Amino acid sequence: MGSRKRESALARKLTNQDVVKAIHNDCPSSPRKMRLVADIIRGEQVDKALYILKYSKKDTSNKLEKVLLSAMANWQTKNEGADIEEANLIVKEIFVDSARQLKRLRPAPQGRGYRIRKRSNHITLILGKKEN
């Protein structure tokens, strides 16, 4: 590896040291329902976001809570010996993209069939440090 490449790789590694990511692919709920919950926790501190998801009545909040816990575990792995409470982590980015759809048919009157689209989504959650 050349010296310039090594230096840029080291610089990239230092900038991404405080940022961790967790991804959940093919989550079986519609992206629209998931985005409603994701918008609530965007920009919140990690402990507050966990409380919001834990006591939310939406069904999709359970899946988002697992992704957030996974991101926190990834941060713990990346920063061994550091305390997560003192790190001042926030939900820097969270986005929900649509995934594959299962297409099914439901019987309808006069021999017709109505199409049912069972949607799923991809969740990407990025944690970062709060800038003062």
Side-chain angles (χ1 to χ4, degrees):
M1 183 184 299
S3 63
R4 222 177 7 175
K5 231 180 195 181
R6 187 179 305 112
E7 289 171 5
S8 66
L10 258 171
R12 198 174 326 109
K13 187 176 182 180
L14 286 175
T15 57
N16 289 336
Q17 188 175 13
D18 299 330
V19 177
V20 291
K21 183 161 103 169
I23 298 173
H24 182 206
N25 287 333
D26 291 323
C27 182
S29 69
S30 82
R32 186 175 179 187
K33 291 177 183 177
M34 188 67 77
R35 281 188 198 113
L36 287 172
V37 181
D39 290 340
I40 296 171
I41 66 167
R42 185 176 288 119
E44 294 288 340
Q45 287 189 347
V46 173
D47 54 350
K48 187 175 179 185
L50 272 175
Y51 289 133
I52 290 170
L53 292 174
K54 188 169 184 79
Y55 295 109
S56 175
K57 292 182 180 180
K58 301 273 187 187
D59 185 49
T60 56
S61 63
N62 296 332
K63 295 171 181 119
L64 265 179
E65 184 182 1
K66 284 186 177 182
V67 175
L68 181 58
L69 289 172
S70 173
M72 290 168 65
N74 292 345
W75 187 88
Q76 284 286 112
T77 306
K78 200 172 189 181
N79 302 300
E80 290 182 25
D83 192 18
I84 200 160
E85 284 85 21
E86 296 173 4
N88 217 5
L89 290 176
I90 61 167
V91 179
K92 200 168 193 177
E93 291 181 45
I94 180 169
F95 47 91
V96 180
D97 300 323
S98 63
R100 63 189 170 96
Q101 293 181 15
L102 298 175
K103 292 175 179 155
R104 301 290 183 255
L105 286 177
R106 165 160 282 162
Q110 298 181 356
R112 291 189 193 96
Y114 290 156
R115 179 168 281 178
I116 295 177
R117 293 177 298 184
K118 297 188 175 195
R119 299 172 189 265
S120 59
N121 61 56
H122 301 312
I123 307 165
T124 305
L125 193 139
I126 300 173
L127 296 181
K129 285 201 174 185
K130 185 177 182 181
E131 285 120 22
N132 296 328

